[in-house]
Amino acid sequence: MTPRTVLNRSLLALAGLVLLGGGLLVLFAGLDVYRRHDLVPPVGWPLTTPHDVLLGSADRARWSGQGWWWWPAVIAALTLVALLALWWLLAQLHRRHPGALPVGGTPPQEGVELRDHALSDAIAAEAGALPGVEHATVHITGRPAHPRTHITLALTPQGAPGAALDAVYEGPLRTARRSTGSPGTAHMHTDVRLQVAHDKPHRAQ
């Protein structure tokens, strides 16, 4: 599970708990649950009867007495929270990763999918084992129907760039296309970035 997934699920859980608590608070007050079932709410508990309001006249007068800046500050804070929530929602809709890639021909096999992280790890492992390659990192972006592969190869000082590119195309990429068999991976656009791995300095004694 990636840090972004953990953050998204944590935010969703927190927002769900807040909305659930607020909804139950309003529901209990609207249905007059406390009086009907002889329940005693905690001291200072808001919205205990159908006639209660969240912010009464006395409370509004007290908060207004804080100064002219109070209500503009509250409105600005709520606006900021709403904009952040909208930004987060749009970020979820605009996914940077395909998530799952279909497996099979045209149409793909129903219910059979391959996670993009699993495919990128497999490509990276095979590419990192090629001659002249120190290690490789792979990221898959785009949509499931049009994935895009970004490969970074760290070559050894003796590695040849041309030979490494040919080996990646004929090895890991061909294996990925053949193993998935989907139209998206068959025409998957690939960006390869080459760099030379630097040897760690050795201490002389």
Side-chain angles (χ1 to χ4, degrees):
M1 187 180 298
T2 64
R4 183 181 180 186
T5 303
V6 174
L7 177 61
N8 289 340
R9 293 185 178 182
S10 301
L11 291 176
L12 281 175
L14 180 60
L17 290 175
V18 171
L19 293 176
L20 178 62
L24 291 176
L25 185 67
V26 174
L27 181 64
F28 282 14
L31 298 178
D32 204 8
V33 173
Y34 300 105
R35 184 186 61 82
R36 291 183 177 181
H37 297 277
D38 296 328
L39 299 176
V40 180
V43 178
W45 195 255
L47 301 178
T48 58
T49 66
H51 305 289
D52 285 345
V53 293
L54 187 61
L55 199 62
S57 300
D59 293 329
R60 290 197 300 269
R62 179 165 60 89
W63 290 115
S64 298
Q66 300 292 329
W68 64 268
W69 54 269
W70 174 253
W71 288 114
V74 171
I75 294 174
L78 294 177
T79 303
L80 179 60
V81 171
L83 291 177
L84 289 176
L86 180 61
W87 169 80
W88 177 77
L89 177 61
L90 293 177
Q92 304 313 304
L93 296 177
H94 182 66
R95 300 185 63 176
R96 298 180 180 179
H97 298 278
L101 298 171
V103 176
T106 305
Q109 299 180 21
E110 184 178 357
V112 180
E113 292 180 336
L114 177 65
R115 301 296 299 178
D116 59 332
H117 294 293
L119 181 60
S120 61
D121 291 344
I123 296 176
E126 188 174 352
L130 294 175
V133 178
E134 182 73 20
H135 60 83
T137 57
V138 179
H139 300 283
I140 299 178
T141 61
R143 295 174 297 171
H146 301 284
R148 189 184 187 98
T149 306
H150 304 269
I151 303 176
T152 300
L153 295 180
L155 304 179
T156 62
Q158 297 79 22
L165 288 176
D166 292 339
V168 168
Y169 179 80
E170 295 296 336
L173 293 180
R174 186 180 295 275
T175 302
R177 296 187 180 99
R178 183 174 62 251
S179 60
T180 58
S182 64
T185 55
H187 304 284
M188 183 167 50
H189 186 84
T190 303
D191 296 324
V192 181
R193 180 182 178 185
L194 301 177
Q195 60 187 23
V196 178
H198 298 283
D199 292 333
K200 296 182 179 179
H202 298 279
R203 180 180 296 179
Q205 296 180 351

